[in-house]
Amino acid sequence: MNAMLSAFFNSPDAMIMLTGALVGIAASVLGTFLILRGASMLSDAISHSIVFGIIIVWMLTGQASGPVQIIGAALTGLLTVALTELLTATRRVKADAAIGLVFPALFSIGVLLINIYARDVHIDQHTVLLGEIGFVWLDTYEIGGYLVPQAVVWMGVMACLNLAFVVGLFKELKLATFDAALARALGFAPVLLSYALLALLSGTAVAAFDSVGAILFIAFVIVPPSAAYLLTDRLSLMLVYGAAVAIVSSIAGYWLAVWFNVSIGGMMAMMTGACFVAALAFGPRYGLIAQDARRRARVAENAARTLAVHLFNHEDDPQAKEENVTAALREHLHWSRAKSDAILAKSLADGLVTRAGDTLLLTDKGRTAAREVLEPWARAG
């Protein structure tokens, strides 16, 4: 067992994928609530504005990483949200515009401070934006005799904190997300929950920036929950699916990056997009294929009702034998042979119509369907 763990922690491949998976889990469980609240771009704002918090904490403490930086980033995230809400409260600036004003200002101040005071320190805007997940296995802590990458430790801590927050306050977060007014009336303090959520998001961002950078972090916050949203309407399953998408994207992205000799972080982000496209295409309810299938089914149902109405209108007609035949359908309803044959086959299968030689006859079910179209008030009654 010890040999297996030692081999696991000494494997650069495993540590890179584990780091990506932990970032994805930590980011996606929080990103789910941002997606549902329509505030996903706050992750972009916070991930850029924490540059300001990082340099301020370094100037005060001399530490470029660790818990102090996470706390500083959390406070910077809250500052971003507070300034955004302050601008929005003036009613002269919309929420999206306020975000666009606040985070570039904090980000640019952070970049200027880095250029002035931290030229020779391993902290720069390139690192914050892009990171380098391929080297996470080089910086380690010795824990229980094992050399564990620092990124794995800190992302593991943040993933556990985020999961504990979401699981422990699941009902409160759910209510505050879908009905903030009711949550406030019940004393759940939705504003406080929102600030706690964004503080954790900020801490996760700074824990992730040195390994995966802001770009991949934003992708993990937004894309996996968005893909999960296309797969289910249940919040609990959405959280699970989002984390699963992040894990799959991390593993597949790493091996594809090695195969094509390209950026690992970029390929992981690309794989989150591929998972989203797959969910968009094949989702059981909101997927494009499923929607197209339902649309085609509705068209076929309407055509079958049209056939039932046509037969019903001519049912007692002396010329019924001439009107209620397949050839007349093509002439009167302007259907092609293929369409009339397909609709007739569906109507026969659904029990709306029977056949007596060339003549088409309505069943009781078909007659009822025709009356529902022609006499909707009777159905309502």
Side-chain angles (χ1 to χ4, degrees):
M1 186 65 178
N2 290 337
M4 290 177 60
L5 285 175
S6 180
F8 176 69
F9 287 119
N10 288 330
S11 169
D13 296 338
M15 292 303 97
I16 292 170
M17 289 185 286
L18 179 59
T19 301
L22 289 172
V23 174
I25 293 169
S28 65
V29 295
L30 301 181
T32 297
F33 295 97
L34 293 182
I35 292 293
L36 293 174
R37 296 177 182 202
S40 58
M41 290 313 295
L42 273 176
S43 62
D44 187 26
I46 289 173
S47 63
H48 284 76
S49 62
I50 61 169
V51 175
F52 173 77
I54 289 170
I55 185 59
I56 292 296
V57 169
W58 176 81
M59 291 172 63
L60 294 175
T61 66
Q63 296 188 33
S65 61
V68 176
Q69 277 289 359
I70 292 176
I71 294 171
L75 294 176
T76 306
L78 295 181
L79 175 63
T80 303
V81 177
L83 291 175
T84 300
E85 292 183 349
L86 183 64
L87 288 174
T88 305
T90 64
R91 299 186 179 181
R92 303 291 295 176
V93 180
K94 293 184 178 180
D96 55 349
I99 293 173
L101 289 170
V102 171
F103 92 77
L106 292 177
F107 180 64
S108 59
I109 293 172
V111 170
L112 288 174
L113 290 175
I114 288 173
N115 286 324
I116 294 172
Y117 297 106
R119 288 181 179 272
D120 300 323
V121 179
H122 179 62
I123 178 173
D124 58 39
Q125 56 268 35
H126 175 82
T127 299
V128 174
L129 291 177
L130 301 179
E132 187 41 79
I133 194 171
F135 297 138
V136 294
W137 53 278
L138 294 176
D139 298 321
T140 61
Y141 293 129
E142 185 173 349
I143 301 175
Y146 303 105
L147 294 177
V148 184
Q150 296 179 15
V152 169
V153 173
W154 290 115
M155 287 315 309
V157 169
M158 292 309 304
C160 290
L161 282 176
N162 294 352
L163 286 171
F165 174 74
V166 170
V167 173
L169 297 173
F170 180 76
K171 291 182 180 179
E172 291 81 356
L173 286 167
K174 183 177 181 179
L175 185 59
T177 298
F178 293 107
D179 196 336
L182 179 58
R184 192 177 300 108
L186 295 175
F188 286 157
V191 175
L192 183 60
L193 286 173
S194 179
Y195 274 99
L197 179 72
L198 295 173
L200 285 172
L201 184 71
S202 301
T204 305
V206 76
F209 89 90
D210 198 29
S211 55
V212 303
I215 304 302
L216 182 56
F217 171 75
I218 295 169
F220 275 139
V221 171
I222 297 175
V223 185
S226 298
Y229 185 68
L230 295 172
L231 299 176
T232 182
D233 288 328
R234 292 181 57 188
L235 178 57
S236 57
L237 286 180
M238 187 176 171
L239 291 165
V240 174
Y241 291 165
V245 168
I247 294 171
V248 169
S249 299
S250 299
I251 297 173
Y254 173 71
W255 288 115
L256 286 173
V258 172
W259 179 270
F260 290 107
N261 191 27
V262 295
S263 166
I264 297 172
M267 185 57 75
M268 287 182 177
M270 182 176 175
M271 288 308 300
T272 64
C275 290
F276 176 81
V277 170
L280 181 63
F282 301 107
R285 182 171 180 182
Y286 302 109
L288 297 179
I289 293 176
Q291 289 186 35
D292 183 65
R294 286 195 297 272
R295 182 188 63 79
R296 290 175 181 272
R298 286 194 297 269
V299 169
E301 290 289 343
N302 290 335
R305 291 192 185 95
T306 301
L307 173 59
V309 169
H310 174 80
L311 297 179
F312 184 81
N313 286 335
H314 295 285
E315 195 170 34
D316 298 322
D317 195 308
Q319 297 180 334
K321 291 185 178 181
E322 289 77 22
E323 294 289 344
N324 291 357
V325 294
T326 306
L329 300 182
R330 294 194 290 271
E331 179 183 349
H332 289 220
L333 299 178
H334 305 290
W335 288 348
S336 65
R337 177 181 292 274
K339 182 174 181 179
S340 61
D341 289 345
I343 298 305
L344 179 57
K346 175 176 174 55
S347 300
L348 289 169
D350 291 346
L352 300 177
V353 174
T354 60
R355 221 168 184 167
D358 291 334
T359 305
L360 304 176
L361 303 174
L362 280 175
T363 63
D364 291 338
K365 182 178 178 181
R367 205 168 286 110
T368 300
R371 287 197 180 100
E372 287 178 350
V373 175
L374 296 172
E375 302 171 0
W377 57 87
R379 182 182 180 185

